[in-house]
């Protein structure tokens, strides 16, 4: 490495950070740049799929290793200096130094950089009530975020006997996925959420998911905020939770999964003066730049939602990968721009004979109204394939559009095999600021195993179009 | 019916004609119009799904009745006069009359109209070599188009013993679907096509389908034009084909399926002076109008392809339904416009352990070059879901774009479950005249059971984008 190489320090060795590192190294030469890239991460793992952990818990994935897209060794082979077990605790943006702790022989060390990449992600929220009085975790309570979490849950699920009961706190995507995993492992499940349904879906769509969960044998407790844990007395007293508590009620539990969201890991930047969103997320520009010499990407950032031109906190792997690539390209002298998101996401609930794909794109009704649109929505029921085919399964499509401009604003889908990825088509229409009529009349693929002659998306869009 | 009602005569009682009839009746009132709608059809069935017939042959569908979306009685209940078994043989556009034959008590009859709707569809091509010298069909040879064809094939497949062999002539979508059906019924299959692969796919994509067919136990004979049949001598002599013949070769067969395409049923208009395309298809405008007082929709028409602004013959059910609705709306005084197609279609090949979804949208390479684009294409291999998931299956994506404008021109997909309908996303990009960068960076849904973190469509688009 030449001595005049730009020193790039990346904090965080997951999707965003490692995409940035690789893309920067891959493209620097073409811009006549030389980079020396160091990555620090407080954990022991790199480039793993957090999204895959529920499927590890379900038994679909053999081991945590399978979730690792690229190992430490592979990153090192690409010329990246990897320092794991090394936590960034402070940044001095003036002197361009980062204080790190742990790792190797020293307890605390100062690293210099020319360009800093913040890709620290967003760890799971663990509320105070979920910790023991001394601040350590109960042995049967925890979140689902890191590979270590995954390994712990895999062991707990494996060890849980017949009839063991899991309480899942939170009904976001992770909550639904963990409920699936636990049911498929033969465990009893209660999902408790303070919301009126699955986060990120409109109520009329969300309730279809709640019904499927009940049909699969789960309990679903809506509109309730968990406030504490019951704990065992006796010999294991204090180590183990025996249930969750909410105002006026509670539920016994052998295991308690915390799935109430994540929070950007930007605490170490609190004195940096860098601008942040309400929840502490960084606000990089479209090139990934936060301030001179400082870049950020991934779950520690907000992203721009094109439809209402707001930044939103959407800690999703697909954004992290894209943002990391954009950042790395720019850091190396390129000019890629992250074009924003349209708020697309997907999951499924598949257990005990139930199977639902669940997806959304665009705005919800309230978001659209908040953005000033004269928004109208409609739910349409149909089938994923021609009715006479064995592949035909029910599908519900919620479509949201603006009455005056006819612009498509959002689509949500809940249904059988082939339902979920249909939102991509709607996402493409949102991307180009198309109308509900575009969606209704465009040329989508039809054959009996895949669709009705008018695809259900088009029937749904047409019905709404006729009501505008 | 008031005596001053507009007399609408619809020729053809399938998707386009009946969609037109219903849409016209449904909307006429809102335009202060009164319609009297008569539908004639030479067949005995209405509103059936020809696309479903191969799945009836495969055993997925119990009976032809299931393929009927709306029965004659349902049409009559909607106030439509239905005259089946009645063939239109000539049209006089000056006197606004149609001569029909058959039906009821008279042999030939003249019907007056104020507005004529031609929705006669496109019957299967039956070449001269497929008929006996007296012009009647062999008992074990025929096309796959009408419900009567379907019933005949169902019986023939049912009666065919273990080891019976089916030769399918033609490798369009119907050819592939019939091959699937025959294999799933335990029959031997040979597909013979004069093309170098599956019609409508680029060769590099088509060969993946050919390989899957071979892996499923079928023979695939490419580049060969069937020129005749072998026929039995002896007691069944002359009634039954025993094989197909091509120059320098042939194949024994117990059954011969003709899947070499369809031709617009517009022969009865030959003296009408109406403009037609090369193969006799009508050329309605975007409102479905062919000439004053004459409308047309469905498989007897060409449709406008938006990407190169050419009219193309694409006899597909989804277009027929849309065109019929547009036509009916305009005939009743409305102003819907058919916005054209982007040449999207889909099928699958699923038999004997093989499963491939097959889809395309947009132009092929040659078409793009012919339209004057500086076209570049690339095939990218990936998986339908995250690699560690049991849902992950191989998928190949062919992407075509214009080097100078970066405009997306076409996408073809061959792969496992969830592969095919991905073309809809590309179709939406084509619809809005988006670029390969739009496809590469837009916000598509990711979760491990459904996609890699970068959806394969986006990896494919990105790879091509980097080469432009």
């Amino acid at each position: 490495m030449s001595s005049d190489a730009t020193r790039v320090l990346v904090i965080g060795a997951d999707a965003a950070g490692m995409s940035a590192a690789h893309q920067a190294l891959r493209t620097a030469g073409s811009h006549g740049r030389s980079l020396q890239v160091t990555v620090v991460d407080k954990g022991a793992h790199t480039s793993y799929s957090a999204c895959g952990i529920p499927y590890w818990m379900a038994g679909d994935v053999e081991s945590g290793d399978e979730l690792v897209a690229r190992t430490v060794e592979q990153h090192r082979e690409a010329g990246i200096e990897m320092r794991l077990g090394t936590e960034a605790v402070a940044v001095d943006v003036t002197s361009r130094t980062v204080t790190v702790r742990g790792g190797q022989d020293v307890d605390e060390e100062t690293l210099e950089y020319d360009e800093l990449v913040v890709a620290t992600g967003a760890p799971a929220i663990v509320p105070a009530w979920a910790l023991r009085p001394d601040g350590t975790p109960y042995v049967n309570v925890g979140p689902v975020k890191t590979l270590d979490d995954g390994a712990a849950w895999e062991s707990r699920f494996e060890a849980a006997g017949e009839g063991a009961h899991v309480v899942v706190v939170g009904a976001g995507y992770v909550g639904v996925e963990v409920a699936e995993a636990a049911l498929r492992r033969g465990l009893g499940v209660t999902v408790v959420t303070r919301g009126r349904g699955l986060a990120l879906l409109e109520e009329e769509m969300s309730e279809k998911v709640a019904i499927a969960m009940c049909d699969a044998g789960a309990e679903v407790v809506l509109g309730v905020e968990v406030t504490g844990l019951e704990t065992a007395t006796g010999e294991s007293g204090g180590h183990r939770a025996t249930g969750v508590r909410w105002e006026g009620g509670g539920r016994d539990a052998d295991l308690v999964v915390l799935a109430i969201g994540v929070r950007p890991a930007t605490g170490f930047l609190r004195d940096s003066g860098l601008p942040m969103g309400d929840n502490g997320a960084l606000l990089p520009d479209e090139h990934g730049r936060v301030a001179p010499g400082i870049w950020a990407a991934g779950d520690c950032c907000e992203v721009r939602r094109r439809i209402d031109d707001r930044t939103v906190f959407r800690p999703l792997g697909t954004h992290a990968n894209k943002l990391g690539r954009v950042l790395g390209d720019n850091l190396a002298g390129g000019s890629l721009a992250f074009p924003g998101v349209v708020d697309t996401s997907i999951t499924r609930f598949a257990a005990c004979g139930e199977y639902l794909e669940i997806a959304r794109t665009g705005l919800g009704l309230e978001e659209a109204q908040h953005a000033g649109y004269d928004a109208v929505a409609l739910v349409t029921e149909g089938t994923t394939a021609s009715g006479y085919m064995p592949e035909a399964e029910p599908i519900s499509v919620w479509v949201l559009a603006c009455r005056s401009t006819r612009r498509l604003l959002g689509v949500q889908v809940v249904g059988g095999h082939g339902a979920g990825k249909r939102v991509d088509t709607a996402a493409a229409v949102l991307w180009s600021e198309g109308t509900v009529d575009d969606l209704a009349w465009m040329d989508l693929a039809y054959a009996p195993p895949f669709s009705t002659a008018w695809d259900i998306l088009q029937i749904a869009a047409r019905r709404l179009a006729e009501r505008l």
Side-chain angles (χ1 to χ4, degrees), chain A:
Chain A
M1 201 66 67
S2 75
S3 60
D4 62 348
T6 303
R7 294 164 304 174
V8 178
L9 179 60
V10 179
I11 311 178
D14 210 339
M18 298 317 302
S19 287
H22 284 278
Q23 181 70 5
L25 284 171
R26 199 158 38 225
T27 56
S30 69
H31 302 292
R33 303 275 292 269
S34 172
L35 304 180
Q36 178 188 339
V37 180
T38 302
V39 177
V40 301
D41 193 290
K42 70 174 180 174
H45 307 290
T46 64
S47 304
Y48 68 91
S49 168
C51 320
I53 292 174
Y55 303 100
W56 183 13
M57 295 165 70
D60 282 337
V61 179
E62 280 287 310
S63 81
D65 293 344
E66 289 188 47
L67 301 182
V68 175
R70 276 198 276 203
T71 63
V72 185
E73 291 66 39
Q74 289 172 309
H75 295 307
R76 288 190 174 128
E77 279 163 21
I80 301 169
E81 185 186 347
M82 300 295 299
R83 296 183 57 172
L84 301 186
T86 303
E87 182 176 8
V89 293
V91 172
D92 184 329
V93 300
T94 312
S95 66
R96 298 206 169 189
T97 57
V98 174
T99 306
V100 299
R101 195 177 285 157
Q104 296 174 352
D105 297 335
V106 290
D107 273 347
E108 200 159 292
E109 189 184 353
T110 299
L111 304 179
E112 298 181 348
Y113 67 82
D114 298 311
E115 305 283 349
L116 179 67
V117 176
V118 181
T120 43
I125 294 170
V126 177
W129 57 253
L131 293 171
R132 297 197 298 169
D134 67 359
T136 60
Y138 292 95
V139 296
N140 58 339
V141 179
V144 179
K145 177 73 200 189
T146 66
L147 280 185
D148 292 339
D149 295 337
W153 281 113
E154 223 291 314
S155 307
R156 291 176 190 134
F157 275 17
E158 189 65 35
E162 188 86 19
H165 200 89
V166 182
V167 169
V168 181
V169 185
Y173 285 178
V174 173
V176 172
E177 291 161 5
V178 169
E180 169 184 321
L183 287 163
R184 288 172 58 198
R185 295 289 289 253
L187 305 173
V189 171
T190 302
V191 177
V192 185
T193 173
R194 64 181 182 182
R196 283 178 290 183
L198 181 66
L200 302 178
L201 284 191
E202 298 295 299
E203 276 174 47
E204 57 264 51
M205 300 300 283
S206 169
E207 73 181 10
K208 297 171 197 296
V209 181
I211 289 168
M213 293 174 95
C214 292
D215 287 348
E219 301 168 355
V220 179
V221 183
L222 304 176
V224 149
E225 180 141 15
V226 172
T227 53
L229 297 172
E230 302 290 346
T231 54
T233 52
E235 70 183 294
S236 70
H239 296 291
R240 171 172 290 277
T242 57
V244 302
R245 217 174 38 228
W246 57 81
E247 199 180 313
R251 178 63 169 96
D252 295 344
D254 299 293
L255 299 169
V256 178
V257 179
L258 305 171
I260 54 179
V262 298
R263 191 178 284 140
T266 55
F268 71 104
L269 293 170
R270 74 177 71 78
D271 301 323
S272 68
L274 296 173
M276 295 185 191
D278 291 342
N279 71 343
L282 292 164
L283 303 166
D285 70 13
E286 62 182 350
H287 302 294
R289 196 178 277 105
V290 174
I294 303 190
W295 310 74
D299 291 0
C300 61
C301 300
E302 293 195 358
V303 289
R304 186 177 70 87
R305 186 166 59 191
R306 295 160 63 101
I307 313 167
D308 54 358
D309 200 23
R310 282 182 57 206
T311 62
V312 290
F313 181 59
R314 295 293 180 268
L316 297 173
T318 186
H319 304 334
N321 274 282
K322 293 194 182 89
L323 284 160
R325 191 177 182 94
V326 163
L327 185 167
D329 185 82
N330 283 280
L331 192 155
S335 60
L336 273 182
F338 182 70
V341 306
V342 293
D343 224 343
T344 311
S345 52
I346 188 170
T347 188
R348 73 164 187 206
F349 174 76
C352 307
E354 299 298 313
Y355 183 94
L356 277 188
E357 299 182 0
I358 302 157
R360 64 159 283 163
T361 188
L363 305 181
L365 179 59
E366 276 187 28
E367 289 171 321
Q369 287 167 339
H370 185 260
Y373 289 109
D374 180 11
V376 189
L378 191 69
V379 176
T380 299
E381 310 288 345
T383 54
T384 54
S386 294
Y388 52 79
M389 292 296 291
E391 287 80 8
E393 296 180 56
I395 176 173
S396 308
V397 178
W398 176 91
V399 182
L400 178 74
C402 175
R403 190 189 304 274
S404 55
T405 63
R406 307 183 73 81
R407 184 169 166 186
L408 185 71
L409 296 174
V411 170
Q412 298 183 8
V413 171
V414 173
H417 293 82
K421 280 291 260 179
R422 274 175 159 91
V423 296
D424 283 354
T425 307
V429 176
L430 293 173
W431 194 261
S432 66
E433 304 186 10
T435 64
V436 67
D437 308 292
D438 285 317
L439 182 57
W441 289 93
M442 60 181 30
D443 185 8
L444 303 185
Y446 160 61
F450 300 104
S451 170
T452 40
W454 289 83
D455 189 279
I456 179 63
L457 274 188
Q458 305 202 281
I459 298 172
R462 207 183 69 198
R463 286 186 70 230
L464 180 60
E466 289 170 352
R467 278 159 185 76
L468 295 180

